[in-house]
Each structure stands twice: as C-alpha cells, then as structure tokens.
Amino acid sequence: MPSNALTLPTYADVQAAARRLEGLAHRTPVARSRTIDAQLNAQLFFKCENQQRMGAFKFRGAYNALSQFSPEQRKGGVLAFSSGNHAQAIALSARLLEMPAVIVMPEDAPASKMAATREYGAQVVTYNRFTEDREAISAQLAQQRGMTLIPPFDHFDVIAGQGTAAKELFEEVPNLDYLFVCLGGGGLLSGSLLAAQALAPQCKVYGVEPETGNDGQQSLRSGALVRIPTPHTIADGAQSQSLGEIPFALIQPAVEDILTVSDEQLVQALRFFAERMKIVVEPTGALAFAGALHGGIALAGARVGVIISGGNVDLQRYASFLAD
Ligand SMILES: *Cc1c(COP(=O)(O)O)cnc(C)c1O
C-alpha cells in the first residue's frame, strides 16, 4: 500500500491525547546530572518515563487508544500481542476503562511478565512461538470474541499518545537543540517528532536503535521499509523487525538521523543511571542516552533532551548487568 494512502496523526492529535491523559498519566519528572553536564560541556535533560505508570511511556499510547473505543468496542474489549511493556500498558488501561483485555504471549515469555500482566487484570493466552502463528491466533480470537486489536506502534492513536511525553518535555524545557529518542517500531519517535515540529522546530531529533537491529537506519538510508530477522540484543523493547508504516511515514521526512549503539554501551549507560542518578532503567530505556554519548554528535554548548523510555527489568537480569 503506498504511504500516501495512510492517515497520519498531527500535533492536534497529540494535544487531544494529552487532554485524555490529564490526571491519569503521570507528568514524569525531568532529571539532571551535573556529572554528565560537566563531562559533555552541555546541558542534558532526562525525561523519566521509567517513572510513568506501569514503568514505561507505553501507558500513554494504550490509554489514548482504548479511551476512544465506541460503547460496542468497550463491551467486546481489547486484544494485544506482546510480551513486553505494551501488554502491561493495555492491561492497565483496560482495567481503568473497565473493559476486558486478552494478551497473547509466547508460552516461554518470562513468568514475571505474565504475572504482571495478569495482576493488571488481563487474561493471558499463550501460544508456541515455534509452531503457531500469533497473528492468526489473535485474528481468530478477535473475531470470535468481538475484540479490537491494538498494535504496539503502527496505530494512529497509539502514536498520538506517545507524543505527549515529548510535548511535556518541550513545554517544561524550552530551546532544546537536540532530542534523542529510543527507537523500536517507531511509535515513540514519530509522536515525539509531531511535538518537536510544533513546539521546537529548530530542535534536531535523533532516533537510536541497537546496532544489531538497525532496520530503521536501513529504512531511512534506502527510502523504503526494510525488514530484518529478529535481532539479538539486550534491548528487548527494540527487537521489532521493521518500523511501522505510519511511524515511517512520519519519521522519514522529519528525523535528523537514526543512530545505533552496542549492547556494551547500553550496559555502561545502565550503570551510569544506577550509580550517578540513582534510577533504574531497562536496557531499551537507555538507548537514547547511549546514542547521545556515542553517536558522534557534537553536543558541546548544547541543550539536549533525552527520553528514558522505561524501567521494567527483571531484577536478576538487572543485577547481572550491573555486576559484569
Ligand atoms: C516499546 C518501547 C520502546 C520502543 O518504542 P517504539 O514505539 O516501538 O519505537 C522503547 N523503550 C521501551 C522501554 C519500550 O517499552
């Protein structure tokens, strides 16, 4: 399908999302570090979405989407397939809006993630990753039970909701020269670009991917969506095989560039966050900061925004990153 057939959200949709989230999503803090400012001779502003409800920005997009369901859709409920933060965001939003939620997860997904999703009140349906097709299972369930499928990034209302995090940052911190944003399927980056275009048109916005999963960078370079095999990286929230079509249509003309970082650089960033800033960040959540540090962009003298996208990490796994 040609991209000009897509309906793209605008900044007005981000503003409408912000009104729906008022009083429901946290207005997350913006953290500073004198150590890093001195080291880079710049001013860094960290938007702490690791302190958002359910531990990541994904609550913003999920709630924005579900709160616009028709009465009939609410009755049928919502369906999502995810083993990560999107699942928990959908489950929490569905609970707040009092609608049923089914999350389709691989049967070997971490027990802690399944438990967290169930705690928010969703029903977990498992499938075998090697023998079953999750999209077919989801489509069948959606049809049988009259449920509405909400994808994690390739969705108009999800993108508009994700854009509210950068909107808050630009409103609180004027005159940013740069903004660094983690990049998986592109929901957060495309929403952030909508906010940047409206509130800080001079700000250069960079997406940051794991170097083994640089499908977004390849897509930007080639001018068409590139699909890659599931990448191996500790950034499990950025293991998408391809950007979404709607995100790509928004990112392609507006992003300054897409950078990549190694797993080792992510681990260094996690240690910095823990040791110097006293904050828990998941590997994917550290992509933007690692990109600011290692992406080769000269930041001296600049005002730099960094979105910390999430903080959900299994404690044993987290401890092993810090200890290595
Ligand atoms: C989902 C997620 C991302 C990637 O977001 P996209 O909208 O898919 O690009 C980054 N960080 C965290 C913590 C996430 O949960």
Side-chain angles (χ1 to χ4, degrees):
M1 188 167 63
S3 63
N4 61 13
L6 297 171
T7 306
L8 303 180
T10 67
Y11 182 63
D13 300 302
V14 178
Q15 289 175 302
R19 287 192 291 274
R20 291 182 198 107
L21 289 167
E22 181 98 53
L24 281 158
H26 296 312
R27 198 177 177 99
T28 52
V30 176
R32 306 291 311 272
S33 160
R34 284 172 196 266
T35 306
I36 203 67
D37 283 2
Q39 205 172 304
L40 299 179
N41 185 29
Q43 289 176 278
L44 270 72
F45 300 87
F46 296 92
K47 178 67 170 164
C48 291
E49 286 295 301
N50 57 324
Q51 293 170 34
Q52 186 50 265
R53 289 183 81 167
M54 56 60 58
F57 70 90
K58 290 250 174 30
F59 176 66
R60 297 173 181 271
Y63 188 87
N64 187 48
L66 269 55
S67 64
Q68 295 178 76
F69 276 18
S70 69
E72 197 184 331
Q73 283 179 304
R74 280 192 195 216
K75 226 171 98 200
V78 60
L79 179 95
F81 46 79
S82 163
S83 49
N85 289 331
H86 179 62
Q88 290 174 56
I90 290 287
L92 173 58
S93 301
R95 195 185 67 191
L96 293 172
L97 292 160
E98 297 178 348
M99 67 172 85
V102 168
I103 310 293
V104 179
M105 281 191 184
E107 61 197 7
D108 57 350
S112 59
K113 293 210 159 152
M114 282 197 202
T117 306
R118 286 198 184 102
E119 268 168 45
Y120 285 123
Q123 184 194 347
V124 174
V125 171
T126 59
Y127 70 100
N128 182 318
R129 278 197 295 147
F130 305 100
T131 60
E132 291 177 297
D133 173 15
R134 70 172 187 182
E135 309 209 4
I137 291 176
S138 301
Q140 196 189 358
L141 270 172
Q143 217 226 344
Q144 277 170 0
R145 304 197 194 178
M147 305 187 98
T148 303
L149 177 73
I150 297 295
F153 46 81
D154 205 1
H155 190 280
F156 187 106
D157 298 319
V158 171
I159 292 167
Q162 316 305 32
T164 60
K167 175 180 182 286
E168 289 174 9
L169 177 62
F170 287 122
E171 285 169 351
E172 187 168 333
V173 185
N175 300 320
L176 284 177
D177 300 298
Y178 297 100
L179 177 67
F180 292 86
V181 183
C182 314
L183 177 57
L188 183 64
L189 178 59
S190 56
S192 300
L193 285 163
L194 294 176
Q197 284 158 2
L199 299 175
Q202 78 296 337
C203 180
K204 295 187 163 79
V205 181
Y206 289 90
V208 186
E209 287 179 319
E211 71 187 7
T212 52
N214 72 336
D215 56 285
Q217 190 184 54
Q218 291 185 44
S219 300
L220 191 68
R221 301 276 186 274
S222 69
L225 273 183
V226 171
R227 196 174 178 81
I228 61 169
T230 300
H232 291 280
T233 168
I234 60 170
D236 52 0
Q239 282 180 309
S240 43
Q241 294 178 263
S242 143
L243 298 183
E245 286 189 39
I246 303 175
F248 186 56
L250 293 167
I251 290 168
Q252 190 181 22
V255 79
E256 189 66 20
D257 201 1
I258 294 175
L259 313 170
T260 65
V261 296
S262 68
D263 280 3
E264 177 53 36
Q265 289 165 341
L266 288 176
V267 169
Q268 280 174 29
L270 295 188
R271 289 185 189 152
F272 176 85
F273 284 132
E275 191 170 31
R276 308 309 296 249
M277 296 182 71
K278 326 301 174 194
I279 53 179
V280 177
V281 179
E282 63 182 277
T284 317
L287 278 167
F289 179 50
L293 285 182
H294 305 289
I297 313 300
L299 301 179
R303 289 163 64 80
V304 183
V306 171
I307 299 184
I308 298 175
S309 56
N312 290 328
V313 59
D314 179 78
L315 279 184
Q316 250 146 35
R317 198 162 165 255
Y318 184 61
S320 76
F321 293 138
L322 298 189
D324 271 351

